[in-house]
Amino acid sequence: MSYAVDTKGFYGNFGGAYIPEMLQHNVETLRDRYLDIINDPSFKKEFNDLLKNYVGRPSPLYEAKRFSSKYGARIFLKREDLNHTGAHKINNTIGQILLAERLGKKRIIAETGAGQHGVATATVCALKNIECIVYMGAVDIERQAPNVARMKMLGATVVPATSGSQTLKDATNEAIRDWIQNPADTHYIIGSVVGPHPYPDMVARFQSIISEEIRQQLPEYIDADKPDSIVACVGGGSNAAGAFYHFLDDRAVRLVAVEAAGEGIHSGRSAATSVLGTEGIIHGSRTLLMQTVDGQIVEPHSISAGLDYPGIGPLHAHLIKSGRAEAISITDDHAVKAAFLLTRLEGIIPALESAHALAALDVMSYRPNENIVICLSGRGDKDLATYMKYLDKI
Amino acid sequence: MNRINLLFANKKNNILNIYFTAGHPHLEDTVAIIQSLTEAGADLVEIGMPYSDPLADGPTIQASSAQALRNGMNLGLLFNQIKDARTKSSIPFIMMGYFNQLMQYGIERFMAKAKDSGVDGMIIPDLPVEEFEKHYKELFDRYDMNISFLITPQTPEARIRHIDAVSNSFIYMVSSNAITGAKSNIDAEQEEYFTRIEHMKLKNPRLIGFGISNKTTFDKACGFAQGAIIGSAFIQTLDKAKQDEIKTKVNQFISSVRNGSPA
């Protein structure tokens, strides 16, 4: 079985481009040109140069020894939190801003949940002197205030999405509506492996640097260029897609996708799409999503704004449904506990999103001394207000 | 003959298609709205299936959809209401909604139920024409269910030709690069686009929608196509209406579009 996207934009039954005619021209142009553009030597040179000298790649692969001895495994953290702007999101926005330039676009729009993608987009727009508008759910604007301030300082306009649950799903709807109204001059930088083809494949390619580096870095520690397991959190799934990418066809590597269970899978306040979701269409892609029998999209919940999304990218739907990846759900409280544990054992404050991946170690089975890579997708500075509420309870 | 094709065979201009969101402003208004529209002289009625995430719609239709869902609207109930309305109206009924709604109901089950309820055609903005042709055309044909596709100022000529070839209904001309309800006038650039499409001599009739709100914009659109579609402006007039005011509000609105003054 292949895990690459097919020519129609599908991963098995999932993917495609279910978009209104108003978006057809832009999405078709992107589909017809993205591979030529990103494979062009001048693009590659500029992309790699910015990843190295601006983002600070390669990001370290760090053996977390105290954390490892707590779990009885060899645990390696892929330190995407050390990237410029504090998360993996910048890998994709660097790629897409270079693409937008080559498409002749003068205006950038983006959606954001936790604000990391918004900050990463505002950053590359500042770098390239391009107008930037970021749509963010009104609820998320409240709970991720530091990132809102960063976007504003970077010169972006932050527009609150006030419809629906006022989180990531609604911010994405608003960004799509903006693109419908500004098709000629605007490029939409989607932040995850979601949306119509070619976005899931394009974003996965830009994030695939994560697994490319893991392959190069592991031999510094172990006698192999692959781990036994790779664990990553999944909202839309871009850091997981990047961390899994170069191991997709190697069945010896176990892939673990960690979702947000919120207050519990069956609490009515959850974002555990692989358990609660059914096949349908969200944001132009056929995938698994949380919905009613009538096809109304259900408002999700997670303490982590970046995982508070009712769907998952079509690649992940395919990986999970075909049995290639294993899905695990982690509750809000459990994720916070894991964040404190890593902080106290290793002196690393993880993002709430990444904390879900860390917590998966309590749930997944593994052999003693197994080699496990966890994608530490972002740093926790933005989440301090939430963490402080738990300080006395831990 | 399908009622939509019959209408366009008999009437060549000033065709007025009114969109409303089923379940708004009240859950049980569907029959009254359709009956009043028919009596007031609307030529077609477009019944919106309220959706949680209407990507192509502006604030007015988003809000009416959210209200309808809070009121408890669902497809089972809506089909019953449409079937009831069919006994009181003989104008064409079109259902408009997003593809996920049909997928979850089951496409064939939807076709059978829609046909049985007296529905003549569909508008599904996020179902691309290629996907329709490949997977669903045969099914739609079997149930004599028409489908209208959208074209926009950005749609290339070859794609418009393709859509025209696949269509068996009217072509829905989106008046500008917009979501529903966003504009309130028609400018020179739009007129140029309307003229360009008119000169293509398509086999299907055309209705212009998005940004058509009153007699001025309706008349202007009718100068370039067989008629036009009004949605958001109509929904706004119903917004605060009590149930017993529906008929009066509908009459006033249609009269103001047709004659420039309320009845």
Side-chain angles (χ1 to χ4, degrees):
Chain A
M1 186 181 293
S2 164
Y3 300 101
V5 77
D6 70 20
T7 53
K8 301 279 182 209
F10 280 85
Y11 302 91
N13 289 326
F14 302 105
Y18 297 83
I19 47 169
E21 189 63 30
M22 295 81 104
L23 291 177
Q24 199 70 39
H25 183 67
N26 267 336
V27 171
E28 259 179 39
T29 305
L30 203 56
R31 185 196 67 199
D32 293 345
R33 296 194 55 195
Y34 82 109
L35 288 177
D36 286 345
I37 291 175
I38 69 181
N39 288 324
D40 184 77
S42 82
F43 180 97
K44 282 186 172 170
K45 184 172 181 299
E46 195 175 357
F47 182 59
N48 291 330
D49 177 67
L50 284 170
L51 287 185
K52 179 173 177 230
N53 298 309
Y54 186 70
V55 175
R57 302 203 72 95
S59 69
L61 185 71
Y62 167 69
E63 181 171 9
K65 288 193 173 151
R66 292 189 67 207
F67 202 64
S68 293
S69 65
K70 151 90 179 139
Y71 283 102
R74 279 192 85 176
I75 298 168
F76 302 91
L77 302 178
K78 180 58 176 165
R79 299 290 308 274
E80 294 299 299
D81 62 315
L82 292 178
N83 292 339
H84 178 42
T85 72
H88 69 290
K89 294 290 189 187
I90 191 92
N91 304 328
N92 170 45
T93 61
I94 296 266
Q96 287 206 48
I97 199 76
L98 298 181
L99 185 98
E101 271 190 320
R102 283 155 177 80
L103 292 169
K105 301 291 184 176
K106 308 287 183 224
R107 181 176 175 271
I108 293 295
I109 55 171
E111 83 298 335
T112 196
Q116 288 301 129
H117 175 59
V119 168
T121 305
T123 298
V124 297
C125 286
L127 180 69
K128 290 291 184 178
N129 191 27
I130 297 181
E131 184 188 2
C132 179
I133 292 102
V134 179
Y135 290 90
M136 185 169 189
V139 168
D140 292 337
I141 286 179
E142 286 297 314
R143 61 178 164 175
Q144 307 281 200
N147 275 343
V148 177
R150 292 166 80 197
M151 285 184 266
K152 287 181 176 169
M153 182 156 176
L154 287 158
T157 304
V158 180
V159 181
T162 54
S163 58
S165 56
Q166 309 188 358
T167 60
L168 182 53
K169 157 179 94 82
D170 312 287
T172 309
N173 288 343
E174 290 306 322
I176 290 173
R177 289 179 186 124
D178 181 309
W179 208 21
I180 287 173
Q181 295 176 83
N182 300 285
D185 64 343
T186 299
H187 175 69
Y188 177 18
I189 300 191
I190 292 185
S192 192
V193 286
V194 301
H197 177 66
Y199 277 103
D201 182 54
M202 184 171 75
V203 176
R205 284 168 188 264
F206 290 144
Q207 293 294 359
S208 68
I209 185 74
I210 299 174
S211 48
E212 193 180 313
E213 289 176 2
I214 292 172
R215 239 191 215 303
Q216 289 158 3
Q217 291 165 324
L218 265 179
E220 295 168 24
Y221 300 99
I222 62 173
D223 196 19
D225 65 354
K226 61 186 174 190
D228 298 306
S229 299
I230 302 180
V231 185
C233 65
V234 174
S238 68
N239 91 83
F244 295 167
Y245 197 87
H246 289 284
F247 303 106
L248 286 172
D249 294 323
D250 187 345
R251 307 226 25 141
V253 180
R254 179 163 66 145
L255 309 176
V256 181
V258 187
E259 299 181 313
E263 293 174 9
I265 289 177
H266 300 293
S267 66
R269 285 176 58 76
S270 177
T273 307
S274 76
V275 184
L276 300 170
T278 51
E279 259 188 74
I281 290 163
I282 182 168
H283 297 136
S285 178
R286 185 174 185 135
T287 187
L288 295 174
L289 63 137
M290 291 164 50
Q291 56 183 331
T292 67
V293 288
D294 250 11
Q296 308 292 345
I297 299 176
V298 168
E299 294 174 4
H301 165 80
S302 167
I303 193 171
S304 142
L307 304 184
D308 201 349
Y309 185 71
I312 49 173
L315 166 65
H316 295 299
H318 181 50
L319 292 177
I320 291 168
K321 281 291 170 189
S322 66
R324 176 67 188 94
E326 176 184 338
I328 286 179
S329 318
I330 296 294
T331 62
D332 292 348
D333 289 350
H334 191 177
V336 171
K337 280 198 189 97
F340 273 87
L341 184 70
L342 184 76
T343 305
R344 300 288 165 88
L345 287 177
E346 298 286 349
I348 297 170
I349 301 177
L352 270 168
E353 290 76 16
S354 324
H356 286 71
L358 297 166
L361 288 168
D362 294 324
V363 181
M364 60 187 269
S365 57
Y366 51 87
R367 295 188 319 278
N369 298 319
E370 182 173 315
N371 297 311
I372 301 174
V373 171
I374 299 178
C375 188
L376 199 71
S377 55
R379 68 175 85 127
D381 308 30
K382 69 187 176 59
D383 298 311
L384 285 178
T386 306
Y387 287 146
M388 285 307 98
K389 288 181 198 158
Y390 282 82
L391 190 59
D392 299 331
K393 296 181 213 159
I394 294 293
Chain B
M1 194 188 235
N2 185 298
R3 287 182 195 90
I4 298 171
N5 303 114
L6 202 60
L7 169 71
F8 285 101
N10 293 327
K11 188 167 177 179
K12 302 296 179 194
N13 47 39
N14 294 319
I15 290 174
L16 176 59
N17 179 357
I18 298 284
Y19 170 95
F20 74 98
T21 304
H24 167 271
H26 313 100
L27 183 60
E28 299 291 347
D29 287 341
T30 307
V31 178
I33 291 172
I34 292 175
Q35 193 175 358
S36 305
L37 281 171
T38 307
E39 289 166 9
D43 297 299
L44 299 89
V45 57
E46 202 177 305
I47 304 161
M49 309 185 271
Y51 189 51
S52 57
D53 293 73
L55 282 184
D57 288 305
T60 301
I61 293 179
Q62 287 174 44
S64 66
S65 301
Q67 180 66 50
L69 292 173
R70 279 196 299 275
N71 290 345
M73 183 49 79
N74 60 56
L75 282 176
L77 185 60
L78 181 56
F79 282 128
N80 288 339
Q81 293 176 345
I82 294 173
K83 193 164 186 172
D84 189 3
R86 188 36 96 204
T87 64
K88 301 179 170 77
S89 170
S90 55
I91 65 173
F93 292 173
I94 293 163
M95 289 180 84
M96 187 270 172
Y98 288 81
F99 189 51
N100 194 45
Q101 297 174 284
L102 277 78
M103 253 181 92
Q104 301 314 314
Y105 197 85
I107 313 283
E108 176 144 23
R109 179 173 168 233
F110 191 102
M111 287 299 115
K113 194 75 186 171
K115 198 69 209 169
D116 177 61
S117 309
V119 175
D120 307 288
M122 298 292 309
I123 297 174
I124 312 164
D126 60 342
L127 177 61
V129 63
E130 298 81 4
E131 183 83 7
F132 169 76
E133 256 187 300
K134 194 169 156 203
H135 298 292
Y136 308 108
K137 187 177 189 315
E138 189 271 331
L139 194 60
F140 274 58
D141 288 346
R142 197 178 339 135
Y143 284 90
D144 186 29
M145 187 63 66
N146 283 14
I147 185 164
S148 289
F149 292 99
L150 278 54
I151 64 169
T152 80
Q154 292 226 321
T155 311
E157 176 168 348
R159 188 171 172 86
I160 295 174
R161 296 272 176 218
H162 181 76
I163 284 171
D164 190 42
V166 176
S167 297
N168 57 359
S169 187
F170 63 89
I171 290 184
Y172 192 134
M173 283 179 65
V174 177
S175 69
S176 64
N177 297 316
I179 50 178
T180 54
K183 281 189 76 167
S184 57
N185 64 323
I186 291 172
D187 61 28
E189 197 179 329
Q190 286 171 279
E191 287 188 24
E192 200 183 299
Y193 153 62
F194 297 161
T195 307
R196 172 166 58 89
I197 305 302
E198 202 177 7
H199 289 165
M200 286 181 70
K201 305 280 176 221
L202 302 177
K203 76 175 167 74
N204 289 285
R206 289 156 285 121
L207 297 182
I208 296 175
F210 287 44
I212 311 300
S213 58
N214 52 26
K215 180 170 165 54
T216 311
T217 43
F218 178 71
D219 287 350
K220 203 156 195 180
C222 288
F224 298 94
Q226 282 80 357
I229 305 164
I230 300 180
S232 297
F234 179 68
I235 288 169
Q236 280 161 11
T237 68
L238 292 182
D239 234 354
K240 300 275 184 289
K242 298 191 180 69
Q243 266 183 306
D244 58 7
E245 295 171 342
I246 297 283
K247 191 178 164 67
T248 316
K249 294 272 186 191
V250 170
N251 275 330
Q252 283 172 355
F253 185 83
I254 300 299
S255 176
S256 72
V257 172
R258 293 283 196 201
N259 313 313
S261 61

